[in-house]
Amino acid sequence: MNDPFKQADALRKALVADDDAEGRMDAWLTAMLGTDLSRNRVKALIEQGAVSVNGIAVTEPKRKIRPGDQVEIVMPEPEDPEPQGEDIPLDVIYEDKDLIVIAKPPGLVVHPGAGNWTGTLVNALIHHCGDSLSGIGGVKRPGIVHRLDKDTSGVMVVAKNDIAHRHLADQFADHGRTGPLERAYQAVVWGRPRTLTGTIDAPLGRAGDRTKRTVKREDTDDAREAITHYEVLERFGERPDATALAALVECRLETGRTHQIRVHMAHIGHPLIGDQDYGAAFKTKANLLAEPAKSIVNGFHRQALHAFLLQFEHPTTGETMHFEAPMPDDMAAIVEALREMPAPEDRRS
């Protein structure tokens, strides 16, 4: 059964209990709706007066359903909570009256959303910057002009007023084609790309899961241009045939699509170490690594991706601003362990 509350015009649902109807109201409603509403959610709606039986509001979830009962449930309009400031430490690289540049740690969500209404970078910024962020770029994303995935670390810039927000947003929308904007990432990938430098030009679109992306044909409705330039910086566990167990790769974005680097590197057969979404099939490759690299990689549960460089034009001074952030400790530990790993032909079985 389709969810009756996924439609904007279906916030009200009328049901009639059939001849076999029995049991508690909350249990019967949960079964009848056939949606992703949990029984606890249905129970809460009943207690809030959102359910009526035969024209009379019912607020007792255990009220028995009877054959022929006419039941109506009205879903309240969804309301997103306005984010509040929270005293969350920020690693501030630079700050002035127009903008703030921070080094985002892995594990920090950028802006509030389902399942993450608190503890985000936005909550931290509101606390740090005060009223200066109010209303810039929307209630849920004040000052945000670009984002990094929760488990990706690196440099981010946030606008502190409307003029800065518009100017920075325009630069990111232009992807640096006509200005100084640059974004560069460090990634640790499985294997070694066939060429030491290259360009991945492969459109991206939604995968089956709405949160994931996949490479699409250009003529697909939701296909969006995506271009990544890469350079292999180091090779680890290199074999005589020029293959390697892993590599440190620098990626520069010509476009900025969701999960772009992660999907593109997986597309050419070299997913990021630790990537649970696009590299899960490569997880057993850790068994090919020598200790302690094997244990460190097995204990690493996020994509090995770090936005180490960000460059842009200052929105009011016009100055080219260049910032870099060092690789976080957990990812640096992987690189160091891989560096110290003996070549495969030198390992003892």
Side-chain angles (χ1 to χ4, degrees):
M1 185 184 297
N2 292 328
D3 182 353
F5 303 114
K6 286 184 178 177
Q7 309 278 339
D9 60 351
L11 296 175
R12 184 183 299 269
K13 179 71 175 178
L15 301 166
V16 178
D18 60 27
D19 294 340
D20 298 325
E22 60 180 0
R24 289 171 52 122
M25 178 62 66
D26 55 351
W28 179 82
L29 256 183
T30 302
M32 287 298 294
L33 291 175
T35 73
D36 57 359
L37 290 180
S38 68
R39 183 166 172 176
N40 283 340
R41 176 62 172 142
V42 171
K43 180 180 177 181
L45 288 169
I46 295 172
E47 292 172 339
Q48 294 165 13
V51 175
S52 63
V53 179
N54 303 324
I56 302 173
V58 173
T59 58
E60 182 52 63
K62 66 181 180 181
R63 187 247 195 227
K64 299 296 184 182
I65 188 72
R66 301 181 182 88
D69 276 345
Q70 297 184 27
V71 181
E72 186 176 68
I73 177 170
V74 180
M75 287 288 290
E77 291 281 357
E79 293 184 5
D80 291 337
E82 184 171 338
Q84 303 297 311
E86 297 178 43
D87 189 6
I88 300 170
L90 286 174
D91 184 355
V92 178
I93 301 174
Y94 173 85
E95 183 175 10
D96 61 27
K97 64 182 180 61
D98 297 306
L99 54 86
I100 180 172
V101 179
I102 61 103
K104 188 188 90 65
L108 181 64
V109 175
V110 170
H111 52 70
N116 294 290
W117 294 114
T118 61
T120 71
L121 175 61
V122 162
N123 297 110
L125 289 166
I126 291 173
H127 175 84
H128 179 87
C129 300
D131 294 336
S132 66
L133 288 182
S134 180
I136 303 169
V139 173
K140 287 200 306 179
R141 306 178 184 185
I144 302 298
V145 293
H146 68 124
R147 60 182 291 273
L148 295 174
D149 293 340
K150 172 186 176 182
D151 290 326
T152 297
S153 57
V155 188
M156 286 189 64
V157 60
V158 177
K160 294 173 68 175
N161 56 58
D162 286 325
I163 293 175
H165 188 274
R166 287 195 297 270
H167 195 290
L168 289 168
D170 286 345
Q171 291 186 63
F172 279 91
D174 182 60
H175 304 300
R177 292 188 174 100
T178 61
L181 181 77
E182 284 189 28
R183 289 172 292 170
Y185 295 70
Q186 294 164 328
V188 186
V189 304
W190 288 114
R192 194 212 81 175
R194 185 171 53 185
T195 59
L196 296 182
T197 62
T199 296
I200 307 168
D201 186 348
L204 300 182
R206 290 186 182 275
D209 184 327
R210 67 180 182 83
T211 65
K212 296 180 182 178
R213 298 296 185 268
T214 189
V215 170
K216 294 285 189 79
R217 288 183 356 199
E218 290 185 7
D219 58 355
T220 305
D221 288 343
D222 68 334
R224 303 182 69 188
E225 181 185 34
I227 301 173
T228 303
H229 306 284
Y230 72 83
E231 178 183 0
V232 177
L233 302 179
E234 291 187 60
R235 291 159 282 182
F236 310 114
E238 193 167 18
R239 299 182 173 100
D241 61 0
T243 61
L245 296 177
L248 175 64
V249 178
E250 179 179 308
C251 296
R252 290 182 179 253
L253 299 180
E254 189 172 322
T255 57
R257 307 304 179 199
T258 299
H259 298 176
Q260 179 173 317
I261 292 173
R262 298 167 62 189
V263 178
H264 270 176
M265 295 310 297
H267 177 63
I268 65 171
H270 302 285
L272 275 59
I273 285 178
D275 195 330
Q276 306 299 310
D277 292 324
Y278 305 107
F282 282 66
K283 188 175 181 179
T284 57
K285 285 191 175 293
N287 294 328
L288 300 175
L289 304 177
E291 293 291 1
K294 176 180 177 180
S295 295
I296 292 174
V297 167
N298 279 329
F300 190 81
H301 302 299
R302 68 176 183 90
Q303 63 269 8
L305 185 62
H306 174 62
F308 79 94
L309 180 153
L310 178 63
Q311 179 176 287
F312 56 88
E313 181 183 284
H314 194 283
T316 58
T317 69
E319 179 185 358
T320 296
M321 311 291 286
H322 182 100
F323 301 99
E324 296 189 21
M327 190 181 291
D329 291 344
D330 61 345
M331 186 170 158
I334 288 181
V335 172
E336 188 59 31
L338 290 172
R339 282 174 179 157
E340 296 178 355
M341 188 174 61
E345 63 269 26
D346 294 333
R347 288 168 50 189
R348 301 291 185 265
S349 57

